Amino acid sequence: MNAPVPALSSAAQSFISSKHGLYIGGEWVKSLSEETIDIVDPATGGVIAKSAAAGSADVDKAVAAARAAFDSGPWAEMTGMQRGRLISKFAEKLEELADELAEIEAIDCGKPVTYAKYVDVGLSATIYHYYSGWASKISGETVGVSMPGDFHAYTMREPVGVVAAIAPWNFPLVLTAYKLAPLLATGCTAIIKPSELTPLSSLRLAQIAEEVGFPPGVINVVTGYGAAAGQALVEHPGVDKVAFTGSVETGKKIVQSATGNLKRVTLELGGKSPMIVLPDADLEKTIPGLAQAIFFHQGQVCTAGTRLYVHNSIHDQVLEGIAEASKGLKIGHGLDPETTMGPLISSGQLQKVMGYLDEGKASGAELVCGGGRVGECGFFMEPTVLAGTTNDMSVSCQEIFGPVLAAQGYDDDSLDAIAAKANDSIFGLAASIWTRDISAAHKLAKKVKAGSVWINQHNFYDPALPFGGYKQSGWGREEGSEAIKTFTEVKAVCAAL
């Protein structure tokens, strides 16, 4: 730890060190206040760049630009096939710039650069490729009406309009793609609002969009604080839809703010994903899978496997295996290609996670491994496993967003009893089941209340699979054909013949 920071490539260094404005209507502009926000490398705590702090007047300009592009001009006249070709070109450019984008994401978010290249950039490009094909396949259907008479009835799917795409700090590229790719495919226009902690990759996306030929106003990027730029976007009467990923608290505020013009809202609000290990699980595959599920990106993943329910017959073996796997993680700066575990995003996040640990231990949880800060520079933390937890402990029921696993054993082999434990949560985003018994796996999958249930794996994402949660994990779905529905309105047309 505290080793010299690995060097950036000249391309990434040139971009990061440049002045960063707002991208509105195809132009790079300063915020009207000219205020800026420090961008911090979480591995060092040092300021690496500054971004513009947009206010409500800047948001007004961005909404006007997006509205003009939606209502008239080249974008409004494009066919689905033309939009698809442009989206595909955008995806190819991301692949071409994968190394640079991975470095930007690594230093901005603190994630290992190797993961950033193959997960963040790779998955993002795949999402745009997937939706480039959808752009020419959005259609309604003919309908046989029930009333007597001679009628021709059909439905049409039309773009919902101007979309505020608000992404969090943990996966800026991927979670922007979840929103931007389908909204572009349907013909909407976008105002991207990245987290003030990690705006760099979104600003680079805007440059790439400009290079590949998206018309002005189709993609706009407004950086700033959530309480200023974010709130102005959500409340704006010119915004037709908000697509948001973030905390439950902020999601509830967005719902309240959206009532002004009853704008459409989709919300992905995080989770407390259970991992259920049945006694017959293949532990050679299960143990490394569980470790990856909780420690990937330092546990700063909305679907991270944070709750472990493991049969008592294998409980100790599984926890010892996860603890041993954690020793193999190389903690370091994300730009070091050997790093497999980076820092938490901020000092505040590190303090929050450590506070949860203190609460867990005070409530009777047993520390199996980890639990401490690593080094004095940056916001690093040891991978941590807690045993003897119960569902009423804060470490088990609240989203920590750090590398902390809350484990507990069970004896009752009833699938109903196991599912009841897993479902005892306000969240319902994802879950995983680990077993050789495929019949038990599918029966249990039906009982678990989560938007994604993975069997003998965790954190599997594919653009064809809908993603979203039950309960307080959100509203609606991203990805797959479901996303097309969320960015379109359905119009029914009926002609008397």
Side-chain angles (χ1 to χ4, degrees), residues 49 72 95 172 226 232 391 412 427:
S72 60
E95 291 168 331
N391 279 1
D412 193 338
F427 299 105

Side-chain angles (χ1 to χ4, degrees), residues 101-141:
L101 288 167
E103 287 186 76
I104 292 169
E105 207 75 328
I107 197 169
D108 205 14
C109 305
K111 60 185 58 185
V113 68
T114 304
Y115 296 169
K117 180 176 180 179
Y118 293 104
V119 177
D120 297 63
V121 183
L123 179 55
S124 296
T126 299
I127 292 167
Y128 289 109
H129 278 305
Y130 174 81
Y131 282 104
S132 70
W134 262 108
S136 59
K137 300 170 184 66
I138 300 169
S139 61
E141 58 184 14

Side-chain angles (χ1 to χ4, degrees), residues 256-421:
Q256 295 169 352
S257 298
T259 59
N261 66 341
L262 291 179
K263 53 176 62 71
R264 279 47 176 153
V265 176
T266 49
L267 305 169
E268 193 270 281
L269 305 179
K272 193 70 179 175
S273 300
M275 301 186 291
I276 303 167
V277 184
L278 299 185
D280 69 333
D282 180 350
L283 298 189
E284 287 190 7
K285 296 180 180 178
T286 298
I287 289 172
L290 299 174
Q292 179 74 356
I294 180 58
F295 300 136
F296 174 65
H297 194 28
Q298 301 77 257
Q300 298 175 131
V301 183
C302 53
T303 56
T306 52
R307 291 187 290 148
L308 175 62
Y309 300 94
V310 55
H311 196 274
N312 279 330
S313 63
I314 54 172
H315 175 276
D316 293 349
Q317 184 180 357
V318 169
L319 264 58
E320 288 169 5
I322 296 172
E324 187 64 28
S326 73
K327 297 176 183 177
L329 296 170
K330 185 179 186 302
I331 300 175
H333 198 290
L335 290 175
D336 183 343
E338 295 184 3
T339 291
T340 54
M341 188 170 181
L344 298 183
I345 189 64
S346 66
S347 175
Q349 184 64 18
L350 177 61
Q351 292 172 12
K352 175 186 172 184
V353 176
M354 297 302 290
Y356 275 116
L357 275 183
D358 290 341
E359 290 178 14
K361 289 184 288 186
S363 298
E366 173 193 347
L367 187 65
V368 176
C369 68
R373 180 174 182 171
V374 178
E376 299 177 358
C377 177
F379 315 123
F380 296 91
M381 180 183 170
E382 293 175 325
T384 302
V385 176
L386 295 173
T389 64
T390 57
N391 279 1
D392 59 349
M393 291 182 181
S394 61
V395 291
S396 296
C397 65
Q398 296 183 30
E399 187 174 37
I400 296 175
F401 236 56
V404 179
L405 177 63
Q408 58 182 282
Y410 67 89
D411 283 315
D412 193 338
D413 290 329
S414 162
L415 296 184
D416 286 332
I418 296 169
K421 280 182 172 289

Side-chain angles (χ1 to χ4, degrees), residues 206-286:
Q207 292 182 343
I208 296 168
E210 190 173 36
E211 291 171 20
V212 302
F214 278 96
V218 174
I219 298 174
N220 306 274
V221 177
V222 175
T223 58
Y225 293 107
Q231 186 170 347
L233 264 177
V234 171
E235 294 178 348
H236 204 290
V239 171
D240 301 301
K241 174 180 169 63
V242 175
F244 170 78
T245 300
S247 70
V248 172
E249 180 184 358
T250 303
K252 290 178 178 179
K253 291 178 181 178
I254 286 174
V255 171
Q256 295 169 352
S257 298
T259 59
N261 66 341
L262 291 179
K263 53 176 62 71
R264 279 47 176 153
V265 176
T266 49
L267 305 169
E268 193 270 281
L269 305 179
K272 193 70 179 175
S273 300
M275 301 186 291
I276 303 167
V277 184
L278 299 185
D280 69 333
D282 180 350
L283 298 189
E284 287 190 7
K285 296 180 180 178
T286 298

